[in-house]
Amino acid sequence: MKDPRLLIPVRCTTRKIFLQHPPKGRNDWHVRFTAPAVDGSRREIFRSTGTKEIAAAKRIAAQIIDSFWNDAGRGAEPLKLRNDNATIGQLIERYERNAVQRPRTIRGNVRSLRLIVRTIHNGDPNDKPTTVLTSNLIREFEKRRLQKAEQRATGSTRATVIHRTRNSTASFVRQARSIVAMRKMKFYEGLKLPDLAAFRGESVETPHRSLPRPLDMKALSAMEAATPKLASEDPAVYVAHLLFSRLGLRNIEIVNARTHWISDGSIGIINRVEENFFPKGCEGWVPIAPDVLAEIIRFQPVATESYLVPGRNQTERHEAVYRRHSNWVGQWIKDYAKTSYELRRYAGSRLLDMGASIFEVRDFLRHRDVQTTQQWYAYRLQNRQLRTIGMNDLIPQ
């Protein structure tokens, strides 16, 4: 016998239509009925009301039924969109439309989200509801990735394979979660989304990262002694070298940096939509020493379109920053995966040695989280001697 509390109040038909309990895996009320014939054919309708509350579900169900009786269900589509949780495809479409990031970053984040959903839920990830974005999804993804790694690893390669799998898994999860970061939720106004706090807050185990190896000071001194010759033979690589070692900039920032980015003795690494430039990490202004700035500007006559690194086009600048500089630095900085990037890390270390705080180094390198800075540099503070307060030091001078 039907529960009279679930009877839907409709005026367009004398049929008695009741709310239906949700299918497995859902918790919202549904409505099932046979719509009036269209072109001689009848079809059964089974729709979600998008709510767990009986009163609200009955009201929405009545509107859905009325729409199928009066306009062949066309008016029910907005109701469905408004009251059903959005799909992964709808979420991604909004993100791609609104995100102000580098195109490669957007593609990578979307690819990671689809990979995680597809790994656990077979089929097209775009068709899955956003209700699948839970903390359990991330835990299950991590579990399956490690299981596959164990299967393909051998006794001699297991440690390396597991280490790489944990690193890549953490990267995929971090990229996928960034799509629904709190600062991006404004992108999805009008879409009905479930509570994503658990998905947003879940993390995976990352491998223990060993302390970075310090650079060889003799090799570093020899490299600096070779810079005058580099300046005369390859100005583009020389300017890139200054931006790596004195300003701690990233490769993509160096390739795109222009003179109008510089103001009041600092260079602005900020979103520049008109130039299609979006920095990795945080935006910020990096101070430049006056002598370093003068040395960089000295090569403007051989640069084009006000770019700091000389080159006729982006391809030439890219070649200078990514290849030629790496090869040049590799003569002294050996056995490192990213030779040029080591100069950025060294710049942060040098600031600490000169008395900067960990927070100043974070701002200089523009890390999004101070934990990243601590991960790489906190060990350098362990042996720093604590300062004393003398007889005349109590009041600042």
Side-chain angles (χ1 to χ4, degrees), residues 21-30 46 48 52 84-85 121 128-134 194:
H21 288 280
K24 187 176 181 180
R26 299 288 293 268
N27 61 359
D28 50 347
W29 291 101
H30 283 55
F46 185 59
S48 165
K52 298 180 288 185
D84 282 344
N85 285 311
H121 304 278
K128 306 300 179 185
T130 46
T131 49
V132 304
L133 301 181
T134 63

Side-chain angles (χ1 to χ4, degrees), residues 90-100 106 187 189:
Q90 291 170 324
L91 182 79
I92 288 174
E93 189 275 330
R94 285 287 190 91
Y95 170 70
E96 291 177 327
R97 188 200 314 167
N98 293 287
V100 183
I106 295 174
F187 298 167
E189 292 180 0

Side-chain angles (χ1 to χ4, degrees), residues 300-366:
Q300 273 301 290
V302 294
T304 57
E305 299 181 18
S306 75
Y307 284 99
L308 297 185
V309 175
R312 288 177 296 181
N313 49 49
Q314 186 175 26
T315 301
E316 287 194 1
R317 293 191 301 277
H318 193 282
E319 177 74 17
V321 173
Y322 282 85
R323 293 187 180 275
R324 298 207 305 275
H325 182 265
S326 181
N327 292 336
W328 182 80
V329 173
Q331 298 175 78
W332 298 279
I333 300 179
K334 303 179 183 296
D335 302 323
Y336 285 86
K338 301 177 181 179
T339 53
S340 295
Y341 204 81
E342 290 303 321
L343 293 178
R344 167 178 161 83
R345 289 176 178 159
Y346 177 73
S349 300
R350 189 74 187 100
L351 279 182
L352 281 176
D353 294 342
M354 295 168 67
S357 70
I358 200 76
F359 294 98
E360 289 171 324
V361 174
R362 176 201 60 185
D363 294 341
F364 178 79
L365 296 175
R366 287 157 290 106

Side-chain angles (χ1 to χ4, degrees), residues 44-80:
E44 186 178 76
I45 307 300
F46 185 59
R47 288 290 176 90
S48 165
T49 63
T51 179
K52 298 180 288 185
E53 300 294 331
I54 293 180
K58 289 165 66 174
R59 174 178 53 79
I60 294 169
Q63 292 175 321
I64 293 174
I65 296 168
D66 184 70
S67 172
F68 276 92
W69 251 262
N70 295 320
D71 60 5
R74 286 185 292 272
E77 290 305 312
L79 291 172
K80 180 175 184 295

